[in-house]
Amino acid sequence: MSTVESFAPSPMFFTDAAAKRVQSLINEENNPSLKLRVYVTGGGCSGFQYGFDLGDQLAEDDTIIDNAGVSLVVDSLSYQYLVGSTVDFEEGLAGARFIIRNPNAQSTCGCGASFSV
């Protein structure tokens, strides 16, 4: 007789640095209902690529992650590739950008914008 194992995936994480940057963008646009949308599309040099958008639209199946009064939104199709990921914001010599640390990615391109699973 076999046993059934349950699996609860790790949620996504939205860092304080990313939330602070989203708040800054909201303030610049003077629109408190804006949210950072993260999504995955086909393409890029590794097969899938990350995308970011600032908008105020929500779909019925979106996952919403809040931090410091701002929201990160992920559609259900993208969420399956991003479970356990961390969305962060960094500023450095290469410029400022949102980045994703994705434990599901088996390989990534040099710039980190695309990945394969």
Side-chain angles (χ1 to χ4, degrees):
M1 183 172 173
S2 65
T3 61
V4 175
E5 291 183 35
S6 63
F7 173 73
S10 300
M12 286 184 64
F13 301 96
F14 183 31
T15 68
D16 292 343
K20 183 177 177 182
R21 179 61 180 151
V22 172
Q23 185 63 61
S24 175
L25 293 168
I26 288 170
N27 293 342
E28 286 176 24
E29 294 293 324
N30 196 26
N31 183 350
S33 60
L34 291 176
K35 298 154 186 51
L36 178 65
R37 179 172 292 280
V38 177
Y39 56 92
V40 173
T41 60
C45 45
S46 295
F48 294 101
Q49 60 187 3
Y50 302 115
F52 299 93
D53 189 25
L54 201 60
D56 57 6
Q57 300 297 311
L58 289 174
E60 205 173 282
D61 62 346
D62 282 341
T63 297
I64 302 169
I65 300 144
D66 294 314
N67 183 354
V70 297
S71 299
L72 170 74
V73 179
V74 184
D75 65 89
S76 61
L77 183 62
S78 297
Y79 190 80
Q80 65 185 328
Y81 295 106
L82 297 171
V83 168
S85 295
T86 299
V87 177
D88 199 4
F89 181 78
E90 67 178 22
E91 294 182 80
L93 295 174
R97 65 185 177 144
F98 287 102
I99 59 169
I100 297 178
R101 291 182 188 89
N102 187 345
N104 306 305
Q106 292 181 357
S107 65
T108 61
C109 68
C111 68
S114 69
F115 67 102
S116 67
V117 290

